[in-house]
Amino acid sequence: MTSDVPRSSKRDGAASWEDLVARYAWADADELDAYTFSVIAGKTENEVIRAFGGDPEASRLMTFAETVEEQAAHLYEDYELLRVLSVDRCVIAIEWGYHGSIPEIARRTSSVGGEFFSVYRNVNARYQVMHALDGHVDGMFDPFELEDAAWMEPEPEIPAWAEGVGFHMETLCAESFALMERTMGVTIEPGWMDTALRTVLLTSPSELFGQSEAAWLP
């Protein structure tokens, strides 16, 4: 991919691409080995929680570290927690898990005029960014693969909303979050990790989707 300056953000007076990437330097630190951050526009917190498979009436306040500790205590169970907050007319969903990386979740949370973007990293350093609009996933890829995209066969198809972004191994996570902000117009704050946010237990994907493979396909 080229390192040309990407298309402009939705917000007037937006920071330059270089400034956006610098803002998210924290994401490439070693402290966070796994996470999914999702930004959803056009939905309420309760609607997002339901789409992810949670019960809005059964929420409590937890920090990211507390969710990691509780989930680790259920390591061999399908046990995942979702933290949410509302910022600039969007809902931010934060997980030490992967619900937000599933295309069907993106479709559900973006249905009927909504918009969805997620950044995912797992403990094996696998990555994914995904965008959906009005119930349709219009792009999902692993940015790890794009540095060598020109030598791949077939060459990965880059969605329009990611055109011009050059992903680099040393700033891979920062560039993913910068792309999220450029697309959704919301800054992801690292301080949210240590803030006690509204938290719910999620239904496992196997219960949400059964044996359907379509839920995992864009």
Side-chain angles (χ1 to χ4, degrees):
M1 299 190 67
T2 67
S3 57
D4 297 337
V5 176
R7 63 189 175 94
S8 60
S9 169
K10 294 181 177 181
R11 298 182 299 176
D12 293 334
S16 70
W17 178 252
E18 292 76 12
D19 288 341
L20 282 179
V21 173
R23 175 182 294 165
Y24 292 108
W26 57 266
D28 288 295
D30 293 332
E31 286 82 355
L32 300 178
D33 60 353
Y35 52 75
T36 307
F37 281 77
S38 305
V39 177
I40 303 97
K43 302 294 178 180
T44 66
E45 287 185 11
N46 285 354
E47 288 172 329
V48 169
I49 288 172
R50 292 189 188 98
F52 270 71
D55 178 2
E57 304 303 318
S59 64
R60 50 198 165 120
L61 297 178
M62 300 181 72
T63 66
F64 186 79
E66 288 171 340
T67 63
V68 171
E69 182 178 2
E70 183 166 315
Q71 288 178 222
H74 299 267
L75 191 58
Y76 300 104
E77 305 171 36
D78 207 339
Y79 190 98
E80 289 194 28
L81 298 165
L82 177 74
R83 304 165 66 236
V84 298
L85 75 156
S86 297
V87 177
D88 294 339
R89 300 182 182 179
C90 290
V91 176
I92 315 298
I94 305 172
E95 308 168 72
W96 191 60
Y98 63 94
H99 278 62
S101 72
I102 302 172
E104 183 60 23
I105 296 292
R107 284 187 281 269
R108 292 183 180 189
T109 54
S110 67
S111 64
V112 195
E115 186 173 9
F116 174 97
F117 196 111
S118 67
V119 172
Y120 163 77
R121 176 185 176 180
N122 71 15
V123 293
N124 298 314
R126 298 298 298 176
Y127 306 87
Q128 178 184 286
V129 294
M130 177 170 58
H131 180 261
L133 188 65
D134 199 21
H136 301 280
V137 174
D138 61 359
M140 180 178 81
F141 62 88
D142 181 350
F144 179 87
E145 299 177 348
L146 297 188
E147 192 168 29
D148 297 321
W151 293 274
M152 296 178 67
E153 182 62 42
E155 186 172 341
E157 183 176 346
I158 308 305
W161 47 266
E163 288 179 354
V165 177
F167 287 95
H168 309 89
M169 288 309 302
E170 65 275 12
T171 51
L172 189 66
C173 297
E175 288 157 346
S176 297
F177 279 101
L179 180 58
M180 172 183 274
E181 177 171 342
R182 188 189 77 176
T183 305
M184 301 299 292
V186 177
T187 300
I188 304 300
E189 301 289 351
W192 294 339
M193 308 302 282
D194 298 322
T195 303
L197 302 178
R198 185 182 184 191
T199 305
V200 296
L201 180 64
L202 298 179
T203 302
S204 70
S206 61
E207 291 184 51
L208 282 176
F209 312 129
Q211 299 301 313
S212 172
E213 294 184 4
W216 302 87
L217 300 175

